[in-house]
Amino acid sequence: MAADGETSESDKLSVVLRAGASIVGSKPIISHDTKYLLCVSGNAVKVLSTVSGECVQELRHHTACVTSIQINPANQYQLFSCSLDKTLIKWDFTDGVVLKVYQLYRPLVAIYVTAASDTTLLVKRKVAAKECELVKVDLSQYDPDVIPPTVFRQCGLRENQVSVGCKGTYVATVGKRGVTVHSFKKNVTTTHLMEKDKYELTCVACHPTEYCVATGCETGEIILWWNILGGKTAVRKNIRHWHALSVLDLTFSPGGSFMLSGGHECVLVKWQHNSHTYETLPRLGAPIVAVSCSPDGTAYATCHNDNSIRIISNSFRVQQIYQGLVRAFATKKQAHVTMTPLVFDPRTRALVCNGQPGHIQFYAVDMDKQLFSLDIVQQNYVSSATLKRPLVFTEIEQVAFSDDGDWLATVERRDDHITAVEMRLKFWIFDPKQQGYELNTCVELPHDQGIHTLSFRPLGVTDSPPMVVTTSNDEKFKLWLLADDSNIYRENTCWRCESVGFYRDLQAGCADFSVDGSLLAVTFKTTVTLWDPDTNLLRMTLPSVAVGNVNIKARDIQVLFGRNNCCHLLAVHTGHRLSVWNLLTCTVQWSVVANIQRMTRNPFSDDIAVFTVERGLRVYTMNCAQPIYKHDRLTETDVTNAIFIPRSQESADYDSGLLSWQHRAQLYFINRKQELLTLEKTDETSMAASTTSVSVVRNLPQTPFSILLSRKREKETSRGTRHDTHNQFASQFLKQMLDTPAHVLPPVSSLCNSFLETLLIRKQSGRDTEEEDSEEEDTKMDVSTSSESVSDEEVDNKEKNSMEVDTTRKSSLVESKLHKFSEIGKNEKLFAWMDGS
């Protein structure tokens, strides 16, 4: 059976991280020519263009998260990277080649280069959950069996808690109450403590040419330490205090003339060395967690806690922004952030989910890049460090798009359990001129309590206006309809509440429209009800006994209508059981027992994906209780949301050996670590890892030999794809003809000629043949001067013979195909076509 065959191939699919990896986990590096930015991204290192913003290279060899990167001081095109997989790798990042792998037998947290020696690195290794040690590694005398010497027994986990200064002559680290400095020349370690119970130090940066150490404090002060190697008591002076909140990172320019600092204020501050003069660049959008400077000092890179990197010129102009999948602002001083369901935007073909506080982001999964962000709440960002109590944002709880992408509906809510609850239902319309969404209607307090479901009615065959359903804990569901709001001054439309539904004073849970929009399923406690959305009349009630456990909550029940051939089926999961109802007979067609966490529907097939509490996956066809795919362990944390994203036309037509439920759409799911994951073939995963390593473009001149080879390859490629293109066109025409409903098809007489022409392979004309022959003769003349020409009379004879043969074959094929069509009288669609004609 097909189900058994596909289930047996489950071991060939592997979980792949598609997006959501942090690109700000380590300090980024700007190349020496300032053309590329290197940053970590999960298990890989990305090489990004500072001009176009595109990823031109992905370095993949580590098996765990990459924690730090550094440029080789002896070669500006080589890179060092360390990872939690206990390895240190030396790369040629221009070609994406691994030069050497060093095994250090402990998880590596950070690496630091010293200009004093080209082969000496300082590596921070993890020895406990919150403890690290700094060791000195000589790569020229590397021996995996020799334990490297230790510089610091204890140092912080963060990369900016250790810094190398004055051309690699000393290294400094900060603790909560002081600074520890180690001199490589004297081989002496000195600790300088601060006053007791005053404040804690957060980061450190050493001057590149002077014996000076700068430390940031949680109070916002920046302290410069001098005489750090002269004795036990250091001189402390030049306290700079601009930041009102904790200083998160510091760095000096390569020459030491300036110092950069950033923190929770979302402001980059540029200090002049040995002076209190400074410049500020405000409103950068999110707190700055790391700052780095280019080797020539002409550009700066700032990392922000919304998983973004900004390239800033030395004149304080933002030149480029790299935005990864925005992570929710979950900190110790902030309440839990609600994650909106993953939604697909049909207009931009982007994944829509939570962005910055009060924003939703449109993210292109294929490019791993944010397209744009939409401000829903329109409130200023407030840092969580300014308040002692948990900070409560206005959260976007629900997002929904219409089928054509013209309308967007959002639900925002703020509840700090002190003041009154704020909740708004907003409807946005897409403006083609501005190429953006504009607010059309804002409804204050659409329900008395929180909203569970927000869904648009599918665009059916009728000309009914758009409709939206919302369900809430206030025991009601509401239907919102687009109405005319024009007057004598203007023409306008707005959204109004058309009707309200309730059932026996029970809490309303999940809701879903049928594929044609004629039915609406709403759950009330453990009862599933079916309504007519046009009249808001109750049509059917499914018995609660067959639904599942009576003690479950209303929001834990989920209902999904089937698609295509299963449009008469309704899937209901109650947490402990998955049941599929046949609405034609009002009976349960099949039911299985499973600990279900959530399920999602494939919009292009009859399949549903079910995620279990044990973090497994089951894919079912709605008319069969046997799963067509199983996966026992997807992630280490629970799956919070999932969605099927349609494939592009090219990837949908390309036969890559995908399973049946992956042909038209790809399943994506996100876990509590906010990592966007998917399932792909194991061999395709390795192929993708190798093909993404595109060499960095170099301006190399073309040679006559390379031009000759390129022409030959293009010619061979075009010849090889002629028959493939023809077969694809014929299959597309046949599929479109058979999938179209019979009552809307044109007469069969008008379809036969078009269908038969797709089955015929057109022969090339004499002019095309002559052009190809002339190209081949020119190519041969470049290599050898001896060639034979074909007379004009022979060419004319060949053209006439080919045209006669082609016409004879075409007429005979048309007669045979029409004879076959006349014999097929039992086909229902053909009878429908004949009736329509």
Side-chain angles (χ1 to χ4, degrees):
M1 295 176 61
D4 296 336
E6 293 193 2
T7 305
S8 62
E9 295 182 358
S10 61
D11 54 344
K12 296 183 180 180
L13 292 181
S14 59
V15 180
V16 179
L17 177 64
R18 181 57 60 196
S22 175
I23 62 175
V24 297
S26 174
K27 282 191 176 185
I29 296 177
I30 303 176
S31 62
H32 283 258
D33 55 2
T34 66
K35 292 183 179 180
Y36 305 105
L37 176 76
L38 294 87
C39 65
V40 301
S41 177
N43 298 355
V45 179
K46 286 189 175 183
V47 182
L48 307 170
S49 173
T50 57
V51 179
S52 63
E54 300 295 331
C55 179
V56 297
Q57 185 77 269
E58 274 197 26
L59 311 179
R60 292 185 177 272
H61 190 79
H62 288 287
T63 58
C65 181
V66 181
T67 54
S68 181
I69 54 176
Q70 290 291 341
I71 291 288
N72 187 1
N75 190 333
Q76 62 181 1
Y77 298 109
Q78 293 182 0
L79 178 74
F80 291 107
S81 66
C82 67
S83 171
L84 296 178
D85 60 2
K86 307 176 185 180
T87 60
L88 173 69
I89 298 181
K90 184 179 181 181
W91 301 84
D92 182 351
F93 69 86
T94 58
D95 294 329
V97 178
V98 177
L99 300 179
K100 196 169 183 180
V101 179
Y102 304 92
Q103 180 62 248
L104 298 181
Y105 299 105
R106 282 187 180 179
L108 307 182
V109 178
I111 53 176
Y112 310 91
V113 296
T114 59
S117 177
D118 298 337
T119 59
T120 302
L121 296 178
L122 299 178
V123 181
K124 187 188 294 186
R125 303 194 304 182
K126 197 172 184 180
V127 296
K130 296 183 179 181
E131 294 183 4
C132 293
E133 65 175 2
L134 188 68
V135 297
K136 187 176 181 181
V137 179
D138 190 355
L139 300 181
S140 62
Q141 302 178 358
Y142 169 74
D143 188 355
D145 298 330
V146 177
I147 300 176
T150 302
V151 180
F152 293 135
R153 294 289 181 184
Q154 292 183 353
C155 54
L157 287 172
R158 297 195 304 272
E159 183 181 5
N160 59 4
Q161 289 182 320
V162 175
S163 179
V164 180
C166 198
K167 299 180 180 180
T169 57
Y170 69 94
V171 61
T173 181
V174 292
K176 291 183 178 180
R177 301 299 179 186
V179 181
T180 303
V181 183
H182 177 82
S183 175
F184 293 108
K185 291 183 178 180
K186 300 180 181 179
N187 197 17
V188 177
T189 302
T190 308
T191 302
H192 306 282
L193 299 178
M194 301 184 60
E195 290 80 359
K196 295 182 179 180
D197 301 331
K198 188 176 181 180
Y199 37 69
E200 296 182 1
L201 301 180
T202 56
C203 55
V204 62
C206 296
H207 197 278
T209 58
E210 300 178 5
Y211 292 95
C212 174
V213 175
T215 58
C217 307
E218 63 177 2
T219 58
E221 294 181 353
I222 299 175
I223 304 174
L224 298 179
W225 300 72
W226 297 84
N227 195 26
I228 53 178
L229 300 178
K232 294 183 179 181
T233 58
V235 178
R236 195 180 40 163
K237 62 177 182 179
N238 291 340
I239 298 179
R240 289 62 179 302
H241 197 176
W242 182 92
H243 295 276
L245 305 175
S246 175
V247 180
L248 298 181
D249 195 29
L250 292 169
T251 189
F252 280 96
S253 62
S257 303
F258 299 97
M259 180 179 62
L260 302 172
S261 62
H264 287 281
E265 301 86 1
C266 311
V267 178
L268 178 64
V269 185
K270 182 179 180 180
W271 306 84
Q272 288 189 6
H273 188 52
N274 288 331
S275 174
H276 289 274
T277 305
Y278 61 88
E279 300 178 55
T280 59
L281 179 61
R283 293 181 290 275
L284 291 180
I288 301 174
V289 296
V291 183
S292 60
C293 187
S294 63
D296 57 0
T298 59
Y300 314 129
T302 59
C303 297
H304 303 262
N305 68 348
D306 63 343
N307 202 21
S308 67
I309 301 176
R310 286 169 171 80
I311 302 295
I312 303 171
S313 64
N314 54 1
S315 59
F316 272 18
R317 292 184 179 180
V318 179
Q319 296 178 338
Q320 192 63 254
I321 299 177
Y322 308 96
Q323 180 67 69
L325 192 65
V326 178
R327 294 167 173 260
F329 283 53
T331 61
K332 294 182 180 180
K333 295 184 179 181
Q334 177 183 331
H336 175 68
V337 177
T338 303
M339 296 296 296
T340 62
L342 299 179
V343 183
F344 177 73
D345 179 20
R347 184 176 295 274
T348 61
R349 300 185 59 85
L351 179 68
V352 181
C353 56
N354 285 99
Q356 298 178 5
H359 294 68
I360 58 175
Q361 61 175 329
F362 293 72
Y363 200 84
V365 180
D366 296 337
M367 298 183 295
D368 193 10
K369 181 180 180 181
Q370 177 178 289
L371 299 181
F372 62 95
S373 178
L374 181 61
D375 189 0
I376 302 296
V377 179
Q378 298 181 354
Q379 294 180 357
N380 292 331
Y381 170 76
V382 180
S383 176
S384 60
T386 59
L387 301 175
K388 295 182 180 180
R389 64 178 184 273
L391 183 62
V392 180
F393 293 113
T394 302
E395 302 174 0
I396 311 299
E397 293 188 339
Q398 299 292 335
V399 177
F401 285 91
S402 60
D403 290 344
D404 53 5
D406 291 340
W407 287 99
L408 165 66
T410 59
V411 175
E412 59 187 62
R413 187 170 181 266
R414 183 182 184 276
D415 185 10
D416 58 358
H417 303 286
I418 299 177
T419 60
V421 177
E422 299 179 8
M423 185 167 56
R424 301 176 187 88
L425 173 62
K426 293 182 178 180
F427 295 92
W428 308 75
I429 187 172
F430 183 81
D431 187 3
K433 296 182 180 179
Q434 302 294 332
Q435 288 296 308
Y437 287 93
E438 293 183 354
L439 183 62
N440 177 268
T441 306
C442 181
V443 182
E444 295 284 345
L445 290 176
H447 286 270
D448 296 336
Q449 297 185 25
I451 295 177
H452 295 316
T453 304
L454 175 67
S455 178
F456 275 87
R457 182 181 182 178
L459 298 178
V461 295
T462 61
D463 296 332
S464 58
M467 179 183 291
V468 171
V469 61
T470 57
T471 62
S472 174
N473 274 341
D474 59 359
E475 303 174 354
K476 299 180 181 65
F477 73 89
K478 294 185 178 181
L479 296 175
W480 306 84
L481 201 65
L482 182 64
D484 187 12
D485 191 34
S486 303
N487 50 31
I488 60 175
Y489 302 103
R490 59 180 173 80
E491 294 182 358
N492 189 30
T493 57
C494 68
W495 289 80
R496 298 175 180 174
C497 182
E498 179 70 14
S499 58
V500 181
F502 55 90
Y503 181 79
R504 294 184 180 179
D505 296 333
L506 299 176
Q507 289 186 357
C510 180
D512 188 41
F513 283 100
S514 61
V515 65
D516 58 351
S518 60
L519 280 180
L520 172 64
V522 184
T523 62
F524 288 92
K525 199 65 176 179
T526 58
T527 303
V528 180
T529 59
L530 298 178
W531 303 74
D532 186 351
D534 295 321
T535 59
N536 200 15
L537 294 178
L538 182 62
R539 293 298 185 185
M540 187 184 303
T541 302
L542 303 182
S544 60
V545 178
V547 172
N549 192 351
V550 296
N551 296 324
I552 62 176
K553 299 180 180 179
R555 62 174 178 265
D556 296 333
I557 301 179
Q558 189 177 0
V559 293
L560 289 177
F561 274 98
R563 292 291 187 263
N564 301 330
N565 297 328
C566 298
C567 59
H568 61 288
L569 301 180
L570 178 67
V572 182
H573 96 75
T574 60
H576 302 287
R577 179 178 292 275
L578 174 62
S579 304
V580 175
W581 287 77
N582 190 332
L583 301 183
L584 300 179
T585 60
C586 297
T587 58
V588 177
Q589 183 160 331
W590 59 268
S591 178
V592 293
V593 178
N595 294 325
I596 302 173
Q597 194 170 26
R598 73 175 51 250
M599 66 179 181
T600 186
R601 172 181 52 211
N602 190 338
F604 298 100
S605 64
D606 304 332
D607 306 323
I608 56 174
V610 178
F611 296 88
T612 62
V613 178
E614 295 81 8
R615 300 161 190 170
L617 172 64
R618 302 289 186 271
V619 179
Y620 293 92
T621 301
M622 292 193 65
N623 54 12
C624 181
Q626 180 68 25
I628 61 176
Y629 176 78
K630 295 181 181 179
H631 199 293
D632 296 331
R633 190 77 171 181
L634 291 174
T635 63
E636 297 179 356
T637 57
D638 295 338
V639 176
T640 58
N641 288 304
I643 188 175
F644 278 94
I645 296 182
R647 296 180 181 272
S648 60
Q649 186 66 27
E650 292 79 8
S651 60
D653 296 336
Y654 177 70
D655 186 11
S656 57
L658 299 175
L659 302 183
S660 60
W661 57 277
Q662 294 179 315
H663 284 169
R664 300 289 302 279
Q666 182 70 20
L667 177 63
Y668 292 90
F669 50 94
I670 191 168
N671 56 13
R672 294 197 178 275
K673 292 183 179 180
Q674 301 181 34
E675 297 173 339
L676 187 65
L677 307 170
T678 186
L679 289 169
E680 293 182 356
K681 286 280 187 180
T682 305
D683 52 354
E684 292 178 358
T685 305
S686 59
M687 186 183 299
S690 61
T691 54
T692 52
S693 298
V694 182
S695 299
V696 177
V697 177
R698 297 180 179 178
N699 296 323
L700 297 179
Q702 287 186 342
T703 62
F705 184 70
S706 64
I707 297 175
L708 181 63
L709 287 179
S710 63
R711 290 180 180 176
K712 185 177 180 181
R713 289 173 181 171
E714 291 177 359
K715 194 179 302 180
E716 292 177 352
T717 304
S718 62
R719 290 178 180 176
T721 55
R722 284 173 187 169
H723 292 83
D724 296 339
T725 306
H726 167 75
N727 294 333
Q728 291 179 3
F729 180 74
S731 62
Q732 290 176 4
F733 183 85
L734 180 61
K735 185 177 185 303
Q736 183 180 5
M737 184 173 62
L738 295 178
D739 290 346
T740 306
H743 63 279
V744 298
L745 277 174
V748 65
S749 59
S750 63
L751 290 176
C752 283
N753 293 332
S754 301
F755 174 68
L756 294 178
E757 287 180 359
T758 60
L759 300 177
L760 298 177
I761 301 177
R762 296 183 179 180
K763 191 171 183 179
Q764 296 178 347
S765 62
R767 183 176 300 175
D768 297 338
T769 308
E770 288 181 357
E771 291 179 356
E772 290 188 359
D773 292 341
S774 61
E775 291 179 359
E776 293 179 357
E777 290 176 1
D778 294 339
T779 305
K780 293 179 180 179
M781 286 294 294
D782 295 337
V783 182
S784 175
T785 57
S786 61
S787 62
E788 296 182 1
S789 60
V790 182
S791 62
D792 297 335
E793 295 180 357
E794 294 178 355
V795 173
D796 295 336
N797 293 331
K798 290 182 179 179
E799 289 182 0
K800 293 179 181 179
N801 295 332
S802 61
M803 293 177 61
E804 292 175 358
V805 173
D806 198 8
T807 305
T808 305
R809 291 181 57 192
K810 184 175 180 180
S811 58
S812 61
L813 285 174
V814 169
E815 293 177 358
S816 62
K817 293 296 180 181
L818 290 175
H819 180 68
K820 291 182 179 180
F821 268 100
S822 61
E823 292 179 354
I824 303 175
K826 299 181 181 180
N827 193 317
E828 296 180 0
K829 284 196 172 182
L830 290 179
F831 273 118
W833 295 342
M834 300 296 284
D835 294 339
S837 62

